[in-house]
Each structure stands twice: as C-alpha cells, then as structure tokens.
Amino acid sequence: MAGKLQVSSSPHIRSKMTTSKIMMAVVVALLPAAVYGIWLNGGHAAAVLILSVLSAVLTEFLYEKIVGRRVTISDGSAIVTGLLLGMNMPPQIALWIPVLGSVFAILVVKQFFGGLGQNFMNPALGARCFLMLSFAGHMTNFDVSGYAAKHIVDTVSGATPLANIKAGETGDLASMFFGNIKGTIGETSALMILIGGIFLIVAGIISWRIPVIYLATFSVFALIFGGHGFDLYYLACELCGGGIMLGAFFMATDYVTRPITVKGQYIYGILLGVMTGIFRIFGGSAEGTSYAIIFSNLLVPLIERSTIPAGFGIVKEKKKGGEAA
Amino acid sequence: MSLTPNSPGERIYNGIVKENPTFVTMIGMCPTLAVTTSVINGIGMGLTTMVVLVLSNVLISLLRKIIPDSLRMPCYIGVIASFVTVVELLLEAYLPSLNEALGLYIPLIVVNCIIMGRAEAFAGKNPVIPSLFDGLGMGLGFTVGLVCLGAVRELFGSGTILGFQVMPKAYEPINIFILAPGAFFVLAILIAIIQKVNNTKAEKAALEAQQQRRQILQAAGLVAAEKA
C-alpha cells in the first residue's frame, strides 16, 4: 500500500503503532489485575477469563468467515473484549454465562454494526449489561472460593464492600485498595488496575484526560451529593470499590467509543463522572459504572459533532440574531 | 407471479410480502416493539389491528367522495377512533385477559401508522372491495410480523412458545429478550435477514436478465460470442 497512496500534500505523519500493537499493550496492562484476580479467586476465575477470550476470538473468526469478510482476529481487539468481559464476571459464575456474553459482545454489539471501529458502544460493557439484565442473580452473586475463601474474606457469601457502603457501613480502605475484597474478577484491586492504567498512559496508548477527569468529576459529585459531607475516607472507598477504576482506565478510554476531539474528551469525562455519581448515589444498585459508560458512549456522536475544531484558515460563521434555522 | 393490480389476491400478497408493514415499510413500530413479548400477544395485537383496519378501510372507501380533501385527516381519525372504541369495549367484555396484556396499546391503535397510512394511501382513493382486501392483507402482514417477533422473544426470553415449554428444562431464560432492548435487537436482526434474502433474490434476477440480454444480442450477432 505504501507508495501507492499519495494523495495529500506533505508532511505525512508516519507511525509504527498498529492496532494489534495497541491491543497487545492493553492486554499487558490488564494482566496485573487479571493475574491478581486469578490468584485471589482460584482456578475457576482462570477458566472464566480463558473461556471468555477464546469464545470472543472464535465468534469473530466464525462470523467473518461465514459472511465472507476479511478475518480480523489478528488485530487483538477480540482478545481485549473477551478479557475485559471476563474481568467483569463474578469469580464463581457458571461458565456458560461468560461464553454467551462474549458471543453477544462480538456478534451483536461489534460485528452487526460493521466490526472494529464501527461499534457504537463498548462491546464488553454492552455484553455485561446484557448479562446483568438477563441473569441478575448470577451476575451479582459474589461467592468466593480458593485462596480468598481461606484467608481473606471473612464470610463466603455476602455483599461487596461497595454495597455495604451504600447500606451505610464504612469500608476498609486498605483492603479495598489492595483488593482483598469481593467483586468481579478484575475490579477488586485498585492498585493493580492503577499499575496497568499508568503503564498505558506512560506508553502513550491512552491519554490521561478521560480517566483523570472522570475520576475527578465523580469525586466532586460524591463529595457534594454523597451524604457524607467532606469525608475523604468515604470518597477513597467509593473510588476503590466497584468497577469505576477498571471502567475509567480501560473501558471509557476505548478508542472506538470515546470522542476523538480533545474538547469532547473533557465533556465526555465530566459526563461519565456525573452519570456514575447519579447511578451510584441516587440509583437503586450500588454500582453504576457500566451503565454510565454505555450511556455516555451513545452521546459521543453528539459530543463530537459539537466539538469539531474549525479547519485551518476557516472563520467560524457568526450566528445571526433572529435568523436561526 | 403476476397478479392483476387491486385484485383481492394481489392486495393480500402485497400486504403480507411486498409491503409487509413490519419488515418492509416499517410502520406501526410502537405496538410492534411494545407488545411482542409472547406469540399470543402478537396474534392478539395483530388481529385486533386487522379488524379495525378492515372496517376503517371499508368505511373510508365508501365515504371517499364525500370527505372533503382538506379535512380528510380529522375525518379518518374520527372513523378509526370509533372502530377502535368498539373493538376495545368488545375485548374488555369477552377477552379481558388479552385486553389486560395489551393494555394501553389497544386505544393507541387510533394513531397506528398502518391504519392512517392505508386510509391515506389506498382506501381514500380506491373502491370498496380492493380496500377491504388491502386492509385484510396489511392486517395479516402485521400479524405475521408480530408473531415472528413474538415467537423469537418468547422462545429465548421464556423458553416457551404459546405457553408450551419448548426449551429443555435446564435452559435458563434470557430475560433481556422480553425486555425493551430485546425487542429492538430481535426486530433489527429479523429485518436484516429478510433484507438479505430479498437482495439475494433481486441480484439473481438481475443476473439472469443480463444473461438473457446477452444471449439475445449474441444470437443477433451484435456481440461476439465469449471465447472459452
């Protein structure tokens, strides 16, 4: 291709960054949290992660074969989708649920809309919400086994710390930060997610804007409306609990479903923070990150349309009073 | 298949296949998405709409020379609303369970796009008999659409068809199919499949026509025969 397509005038920007390299970097960044989740929850969690990745890749392969499209499994995006979905599963979930979720994510949310780059919402989160709406009982059953059951968590079944905080209890910040708590496979350890997220920012894969603005907006919202006053301990527990860290670094920053304009990314981050706050504090359930992100995904086209920068040398037309169309 | 325009058979074929309101012209989407949580609801909604559609088509066709052009919309609404009221009261009296299941969507038949659309596009311009069969065809087409959608949603969302357990006992119903999002993506997938089938058919027909043309031209010696 190079050398044949010379249509615009110089200078041309060249980059060695390819989709598959980016996706591999995301997988590497997810590994600390994933490995920690497996260590904490035992072999079943590993089976969930492996199955969801395999079924995501296989679904993409089969669909593209059947409809005669170019097979794109080598770009790694299906691996990321499968891994993210698996990390959103409770550790003891029945194994067919992540498989069904991966098929839905790839087939309905991604391929039906045209494949990578065309999906209107994050496939992993779309599938998570699909599963939440269909199998609420399975998806909120955070029973543990393995190392966690023996050493860390006091009771084998029960609510997540975030749900306890919502019910008025105080959380144990240290264990929430390091991840000795209940939750989905990938969300428990804020530390491991931060390691991965900072790696992505330093490597230039994602920009700091969306995660930082998202978390900052949510913090302000929680301090104002959380009902705990200016309580930083409560705030820290809210930030370390649930899926907000995983969402902020790995799902809100998805290239396809975030705005491409810088100004749009600020708006998007603020929207995410406010929506997560509304869902968590005023909503019925303790968690709201996934709904906040897919809701904001849907508004991205509007955000982009209103924040497109003017081309070089183009003067923006001034609005004429009284002549609005 | 060639049918005489406006013959009963042509009108019914038109309503069910060629201009199927659910899958081809995509009108009347509100009840389509809202009530199709089961096959029986689909049948109930489809047939109720069909009854109103046939009656209103006939009456509007009879009155088409009397209704002044500039006032036709209010007149149509008046006619349709009367029939909907009749049907609603009948359902309440004789089929209270169906009436409860369909709820608000029965009175909303008044503003159903299919009925307004057929009055405007067909019954207001055509004689009574074709209008009657137009209503019948469109009503059947709507029923077919709702039943297809209801069947898929009931099968996956409850594991049953018409209330009978179809899926094995171990099957866990996927609730989302009978919730609102399920309606949207099942409808979209069904429409996509039907479009694909139609497109393939059209492509095949176009290809055959092209080959025929080529053969005629070759026979006439206007185009050199293809070298193998």
Side-chain angles (χ1 to χ4, degrees), chain A residues 98-155:
Chain A
V99 173
L100 182 68
S102 283
V103 171
F104 184 86
I106 297 295
L107 201 62
V108 176
V109 186
K110 188 176 167 195
Q111 291 296 346
F112 281 179
F113 287 87
L116 183 66
Q118 308 291 328
N119 45 300
F120 68 108
M121 64 165 70
N122 186 305
L125 279 180
R128 179 187 147 86
C129 293
F130 165 79
L131 296 174
M132 281 295 279
L133 286 173
S134 297
F135 312 108
H138 288 286
M139 291 293 289
T140 50
N141 176 7
F142 292 105
D143 289 357
V144 291
S145 70
Y147 186 83
K150 281 180 215 133
H151 301 279
I152 293 168
V153 187
D154 305 338
T155 47

Side-chain angles (χ1 to χ4, degrees), chain B residues 38-200:
Chain B
S38 66
V39 178
I40 193 74
N41 281 359
I43 296 176
M45 187 71 207
L47 294 184
T48 313
T49 309
M50 186 178 80
V51 170
V52 176
L53 184 53
V54 169
L55 293 173
S56 70
N57 259 12
V58 168
L59 191 64
I60 285 167
S61 170
L62 282 172
L63 296 176
R64 69 184 188 280
K65 298 210 171 106
I66 304 169
I67 296 172
D69 207 37
S70 53
L71 284 178
R72 62 188 195 286
M73 281 293 161
C75 294
Y76 295 166
I77 296 242
V79 169
I80 297 165
S82 325
F83 285 123
V84 170
T85 312
V86 172
V87 169
E88 193 190 352
L89 293 174
L90 284 174
L91 278 183
E92 238 171 87
Y94 297 105
L95 291 169
S97 61
L98 181 66
N99 187 53
E100 202 147 300
L102 300 181
L104 183 65
Y105 293 94
I106 297 285
L108 278 179
I109 294 175
V110 177
V111 285
N112 190 314
C113 287
I114 303 173
I115 301 181
M116 289 298 285
R118 290 332 284 174
E120 173 75 12
F122 197 86
K125 297 172 191 153
N126 287 288
V128 179
I129 299 297
S131 299
L132 187 152
F133 283 100
D134 183 74
L136 202 61
M138 280 290 159
L140 285 175
F142 188 51
T143 313
V144 169
L146 295 194
V147 168
C148 290
L149 193 54
V152 176
R153 292 181 66 192
E154 189 181 345
L155 180 67
F156 290 109
S158 323
T160 59
I161 290 284
L162 280 170
F164 296 106
Q165 187 74 31
V166 177
M167 289 291 201
K169 277 225 175 83
Y171 175 75
E172 205 158 326
I174 307 174
N175 280 339
I176 198 168
F177 277 90
I178 49 175
L179 300 175
F184 282 97
F185 66 72
V186 173
L187 180 67
I189 291 169
L190 287 179
I191 289 174
I193 292 171
I194 287 170
Q195 293 284 333
K196 177 74 190 164
V197 171
N198 285 347
N199 287 350
T200 323

Side-chain angles (χ1 to χ4, degrees), chain A:
Chain A
M1 282 294 251
K4 287 181 184 168
L5 276 178
Q6 299 272 338
V7 278
S8 62
S9 64
S10 57
H12 300 289
I13 299 175
R14 283 164 191 274
S15 166
K16 291 208 167 105
M17 206 41 120
T18 61
T19 309
S20 52
K21 275 187 196 158
I22 291 170
M23 292 299 167
M24 280 310 123
V26 175
V27 171
V28 168
L30 280 169
L31 278 181
V35 170
Y36 177 80
I38 293 170
W39 174 78
L40 182 70
N41 296 298
H44 194 84
V48 169
L49 293 184
I50 291 168
L51 268 180
S52 56
V53 170
L54 280 183
S55 45
V57 174
L58 194 67
T59 309
E60 178 142 305
F61 176 77
L62 287 179
Y63 179 82
E64 286 173 335
K65 271 280 172 213
I66 289 168
V67 301
R69 284 209 193 120
R70 196 166 57 86
V71 173
T72 55
I73 51 172
S74 59
D75 69 16
S77 61
I79 299 174
V80 171
T81 296
L83 189 58
L84 276 175
L85 181 70
M87 291 172 74
N88 268 294
M89 295 285 144
Q92 288 298 307
I93 195 139
L95 288 175
W96 58 270
I97 292 183
V99 173
L100 182 68
S102 283
V103 171
F104 184 86
I106 297 295
L107 201 62
V108 176
V109 186
K110 188 176 167 195
Q111 291 296 346
F112 281 179
F113 287 87
L116 183 66
Q118 308 291 328
N119 45 300
F120 68 108
M121 64 165 70
N122 186 305
L125 279 180
R128 179 187 147 86
C129 293
F130 165 79
L131 296 174
M132 281 295 279
L133 286 173
S134 297
F135 312 108
H138 288 286
M139 291 293 289
T140 50
N141 176 7
F142 292 105
D143 289 357
V144 291
S145 70
Y147 186 83
K150 281 180 215 133
H151 301 279
I152 293 168
V153 187
D154 305 338
T155 47
V156 175
S157 59
T160 60
L162 192 65
N164 288 335
I165 292 170
K166 180 149 177 126
E169 294 171 32
T170 41
D172 175 2
L173 182 58
S175 56
M176 288 176 84
F177 181 72
F178 291 109
N180 305 339
I181 52 167
K182 283 178 199 169
T184 67
I185 296 171
E187 76 181 9
T188 49
S189 173
L191 175 67
M192 294 297 167
I193 296 167
L194 272 175
I195 292 174
I198 289 169
F199 163 73
L200 283 186
I201 292 174
V202 171
I205 306 286
I206 61 172
S207 126
W208 59 272
R209 278 181 224 106
I210 292 171
V212 169
I213 291 170
Y214 179 7
L215 296 174
T217 311
F218 174 75
S219 305
V220 173
F221 192 92
L223 284 179
I224 297 173
F225 297 104
H228 290 254
F230 194 77
D231 185 349
L232 289 177
Y233 191 82
Y234 157 77
L235 175 66
C237 286
E238 277 281 349
L239 285 176
C240 294
I244 190 169
M245 283 285 176
L246 190 63
F249 284 102
F250 290 98
M251 296 176 188
T253 53
D254 172 15
Y255 281 12
V256 180
T257 51
R258 62 131 167 78
I260 50 170
T261 57
V262 172
K263 220 192 279 173
Q265 292 181 3
Y266 287 111
I267 299 173
Y268 180 69
I270 293 170
L271 183 71
L272 284 167
V274 171
M275 291 311 295
T276 309
I278 291 175
F279 283 133
R280 274 196 181 183
I281 293 164
F282 301 113
S285 85
E287 185 51 288
T289 308
S290 38
Y291 289 121
I293 296 177
I294 61 172
F295 178 82
S296 307
N297 283 167
L298 299 184
L299 294 182
V300 164
L302 290 177
I303 296 173
E304 281 182 347
R305 200 196 296 174
S306 55
T307 53
I308 293 232
F312 181 69
I314 294 171
V315 182
K316 270 192 182 172
E317 250 182 79
K318 278 180 191 163
K319 278 182 189 166
K320 289 170 196 167
E323 259 186 79

